[in-house]
Amino acid sequence: MRLAVFAVCVALACAGCSRPAGTSYAQSVPATTISQNVIDNRQLLVLAVDAPDTMIAEAERLGYELMNITRLDSLGETLIDLRIPEGHTIPEAIAEIEALWPGTTAGASHGYRIQSLDSNGAFANQMIGWPAQGCTTAWKVGLIDTGIPEGHPDLVSGRIVQRTFHDANLPPAQDHGVLMAELLIGDGRLTGSKLYSANVADPRQSNGDLAGVGAILQAVDWLRAEGVNLINVSLAGPVNKLLTRALRQAAADGTVFVAAAGNVGPSAPPQYPAAFPFVIAVTAVDWNGSAYRLAARGDHIDLSAPGVDIVVRTEGKLRILSGTSAAAPFVTAAIAADPALQGVTSIDAIRNRLAANVTDLGPAGKDEIFGAGLVRAPENCAVHSG
């Protein structure tokens, strides 16, 4: 069974488990993979069931500096932030800490980038059969993305609840989170549900479109604590076993994740979290069902959705978006709007339900470009009466 969340590691059976003794991340994943998209080459993040003083003292004796300890209560984990000693590579530090503290998972501070590009057409709703009045939902819907600025009408009204997971006391550098929120709960979209916005993209990093893995873990922990069970993610980056350990458990506990496949091009390696088998991976197509030229491909692609030249209206302004992140909210909305999926947390069941209602694209059946096909709005969604 493929359950929903960000990542999978077959050696892990539960959140409190890790690889067998003597098997390190550095041994199982090439160093070149570990080094991709690393935010800080001196930062090591560690997940453990608890944080014993003796382990931390031993790490400090070896030259590591304790930067922070964060308890992730809803995930049943502790996130420990260490500064790597001079002269140590990340793979060496991972191997050393995991050998020192059996049962832990250590990893690099990878960054995950927003998957949308500024790019006309209001074709998307008609293309997937979405009613103009919108559909009601009883799901609590979450968004892991850039922040929504203070003073935004939906924040002020309480329709969006937000928490920030970086320490930059600055407004968001990108309005991507606002645009994704509009695609999820804007006029004619999902109604009857608050949106829980996790602001993970640090305005000081890159162009403000990069989120650290630690921020993502804390965001999922908060969303679960708030009772959110359907989460839209428009970030993509390298494989990271910290996501594997923590978020696999969240999936097993009933959290459903929908993620953008990534805008890295058709010949690039799979992007994560979408490529993990317990995530619903969404690619983008244009108005006539052709594949988005920059979309990632692979057998992990589950569904297609409109994602090229998508019109988004926000605070009276018109924006045009292209990218797999613009496609993901259409699938998230299709899940939330389907009464038959209310309370369903099995990704197999959700995939089967969605796949039974697609418009096939490309070769017959599921393929590496379009997945099962173009998502369709549920025919029995409860239309908002205004």
Side-chain angles (χ1 to χ4, degrees), residues 197 240 268 309:
S197 166
N240 182 288
D309 294 340

Side-chain angles (χ1 to χ4, degrees), residues 184-278:
L184 287 167
I185 65 165
D187 290 343
R189 303 304 302 156
L190 290 173
T191 62
S193 176
K194 285 184 178 180
L195 181 66
Y196 291 78
S197 166
N199 174 9
V200 296
D202 190 332
R204 301 166 299 184
Q205 293 286 348
S206 183
N207 294 316
D209 64 353
L210 195 67
V213 63
I216 297 171
L217 295 187
Q218 293 178 64
V220 173
D221 182 65
W222 170 67
L223 290 168
R224 283 173 47 79
E226 293 290 333
V228 175
N229 46 13
L230 176 60
I231 301 176
N232 189 94
V233 186
S234 293
L235 302 161
V239 62
N240 182 288
K241 68 176 183 173
L242 295 166
L243 292 179
T244 298
R245 173 172 171 144
L247 304 178
R248 180 173 185 261
Q249 183 61 47
D253 288 344
T255 304
V256 178
F257 289 83
V258 178
N263 305 336
V264 290
S267 62
Q271 295 293 287
Y272 299 84
F276 290 114
F278 33 69

Side-chain angles (χ1 to χ4, degrees), residues 281-286 288-292 296-298 301-305 358-363 365-375:
V282 184
T283 190
V285 296
D286 65 15
N288 68 353
S290 296
Y292 177 49
R297 299 182 181 184
I301 301 297
D302 289 304
L303 294 158
S304 302
V358 298
T359 300
D360 199 9
L361 300 172
K366 190 176 187 296
D367 60 77
E368 295 186 351
I369 299 175
F370 302 104
L374 178 69
V375 71

Side-chain angles (χ1 to χ4, degrees), residues 41-170:
N41 285 316
R42 294 285 308 286
Q43 184 180 27
L44 186 72
L45 296 176
V46 183
L47 279 177
V49 175
D50 51 29
D53 293 340
T54 52
M55 175 273 162
I56 293 174
E58 183 64 13
E60 290 177 330
R61 185 185 68 80
L62 294 173
Y64 293 85
E65 181 182 356
L66 177 64
M67 305 303 293
N68 196 27
I69 298 176
T70 304
R71 181 65 190 169
L72 306 178
D73 290 318
S74 79
L75 293 174
E77 299 277 11
T78 299
L79 180 64
I80 303 163
D81 185 349
L82 297 175
R83 191 74 174 163
I84 299 172
E86 292 283 358
H88 279 52
T89 66
I90 291 175
E92 290 170 345
I94 290 170
E96 185 171 55
I97 290 298
E98 288 188 340
L100 174 67
W101 199 4
T104 64
T105 298
S109 178
H110 282 131
Y112 294 79
R113 197 172 299 278
I114 295 296
Q115 297 300 295
S116 184
L117 302 172
D118 283 342
S119 127
N120 53 4
F123 65 91
N125 285 355
Q126 182 178 1
M127 188 176 183
I128 68 170
W130 189 268
Q133 304 95 320
C135 294
T136 62
T137 181
W139 288 75
K140 283 188 172 183
V141 180
L143 175 65
I144 297 179
D145 213 288
T146 67
I148 296 170
E150 292 183 17
H152 187 278
D154 286 333
L155 277 178
V156 173
S157 69
R159 192 163 182 228
I160 295 177
V161 178
Q162 181 165 265
R163 184 167 173 182
T164 297
F165 296 95
H166 55 76
D167 59 5
N169 188 23
L170 297 168

